[in-house]
């Protein structure tokens, strides 16, 4: 299986964001995870399409935009223009989930649906066949540096089964509390794409941290 590591800029030094994204690209990251919070859907406020557009020319890494905003539809074209490769959203933040998925794809981006720890898998029943990515939250969204919720492990395994039954490539990303010492277990449960904020940006040596994570993914 191909594994992907996606550093979340939420834990980067925002005063040196350009240098930080270049540094994680040079350190071997596969994607750049871009957390967008609106102080409404989640109790925190981060960055929008202007910052995404400013970072885009600095890296070749695909930008993996995680929208924690409500309503979500009107900001999607803005992120597509700003260079997002993947746009994921929470079903609770959309009035019409199928319409939002279509909107992301019409904008030429890959579409992802994000499930909070308490969001049931039934929201994949009529959506999975249109999705490029399922993002399972292993913390409640809003903040970096929280502890991985082990209760999400069986949920990862259930989504893996659903994707395998589908017989088409859908990435299974896990976000929240991912570190070198739990990444192998999360991969064994069925994840292939790993968001890590504090574990990477909180480390002294980004390349050594990403190398360590990747080494543990030989499962
Ligand atoms: C939380 C964000 C995560 C967060 C991950 O709402 O979606 O991407 O930055 O940070 P860590 O890896 O520190 O849990
Ligand atoms: Zn995220």
């Amino acid at each position: 299986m191909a594994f992907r590591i996606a550093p979340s800029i939420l834990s980067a030094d925002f005063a040196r964001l350009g240098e930080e994204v270049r540094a994680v690209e040079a350190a071997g990251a596969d994607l750049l995870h871009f957390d967008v919070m609106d102080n409404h859907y989640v109790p925190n406020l981060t960055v929008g399409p202007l910052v995404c557009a400013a970072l885009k020319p600095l890296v070749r890494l695909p930008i993996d935009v995680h929208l924690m905003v409500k309503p979500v539809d009107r900001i999607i074209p803005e992120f597509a223009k700003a260079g997002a490769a993947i746009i994921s959203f929470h079903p609770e933040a959309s009035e019409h989930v199928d319409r939002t998925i279509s909107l992301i794809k019409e904008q030429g981006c890959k579409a992802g649906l994000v499930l909070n720890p308490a969001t049931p898998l039934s929201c994949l029943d009529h959506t999975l066949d249109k999705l490029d990515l399922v993002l399972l939250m292993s913390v409640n969204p809003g903040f970096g540096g929280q502890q991985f919720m082990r209760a999400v492990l069986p949920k990862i395994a259930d989504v893996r089964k659903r994707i395998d039954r589908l017989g088409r490539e859908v990435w299974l990303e896990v976000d929240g509390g991912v570190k070198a010492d739990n990444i192998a277990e999360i991969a064994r449960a069925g994840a292939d794409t790993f968001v890590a904020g504090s574990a990477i940006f909180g480390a002294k040596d980004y390349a050594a941290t990403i190398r360590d994570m990747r080494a543990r993914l030989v499962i």
Side-chain angles (χ1 to χ4, degrees):
M1 194 185 301
F3 294 114
R4 286 162 290 267
I5 295 177
S8 161
I9 64 159
L10 193 59
S11 296
D13 177 353
F14 272 66
R16 302 172 30 251
L17 204 47
E19 284 167 51
E20 290 276 72
V21 298
R22 283 191 167 129
V24 287
E25 177 167 79
D30 300 294
L31 301 167
L32 191 66
H33 188 79
F34 193 93
D35 283 310
V36 184
M37 303 183 186
D38 68 347
N39 190 37
H40 170 67
Y41 177 64
V42 290
N44 200 354
L45 187 64
T46 60
V47 285
L50 277 174
V51 176
C52 185
L55 296 179
K56 172 72 185 156
L58 304 184
V59 286
R60 280 189 304 265
L61 292 179
I63 302 180
D64 173 30
V65 174
H66 174 190
L67 295 178
M68 289 160 272
V69 301
K70 186 179 181 172
V72 67
D73 286 5
R74 64 175 178 239
I75 202 77
I76 287 170
E78 299 303 315
F79 273 101
K81 270 186 249 146
I86 305 164
I87 299 179
S88 301
F89 69 100
H90 291 247
E92 299 86 353
S94 165
E95 293 290 338
H96 304 281
V97 171
D98 181 78
R99 177 178 285 151
T100 304
I101 296 170
S102 298
L103 176 62
I104 295 171
K105 297 176 93 159
E106 282 159 22
Q107 297 291 317
C109 299
K110 290 189 188 230
L113 197 63
V114 193
L115 278 62
N116 286 330
T119 304
L121 291 190
S122 57
C123 73
L124 295 175
D125 284 355
H126 305 285
T127 54
L128 188 59
D129 54 351
K130 284 177 77 168
L131 292 172
D132 300 296
L133 176 146
V134 175
L135 172 48
L136 288 182
M137 293 306 299
S138 40
V139 296
N140 286 300
F143 302 94
Q146 302 181 77
Q147 202 182 349
F148 180 81
M149 294 168 64
R150 296 186 55 81
V152 176
L153 287 168
K155 201 172 176 187
I156 299 170
D158 285 351
V159 176
R160 167 52 55 202
K161 277 188 215 139
R162 284 184 184 228
I163 291 173
D164 288 349
R165 275 204 299 274
L166 196 68
R168 175 174 67 78
E169 190 181 10
V170 177
W171 293 1
L172 176 40
E173 185 172 38
V174 173
D175 185 3
V178 177
K179 312 208 168 311
D181 64 10
N182 60 15
I183 200 167
E185 191 175 21
I186 300 166
R188 275 197 300 274
D192 53 35
T193 306
F194 307 87
V195 177
S198 49
I200 294 175
F201 284 106
K204 274 215 176 68
D205 186 337
Y206 301 165
T209 306
I210 293 174
R211 221 170 21 245
D212 183 20
M213 288 180 164
R214 229 184 268 291
R216 293 169 192 249
L217 285 171
V218 182
I219 54 170

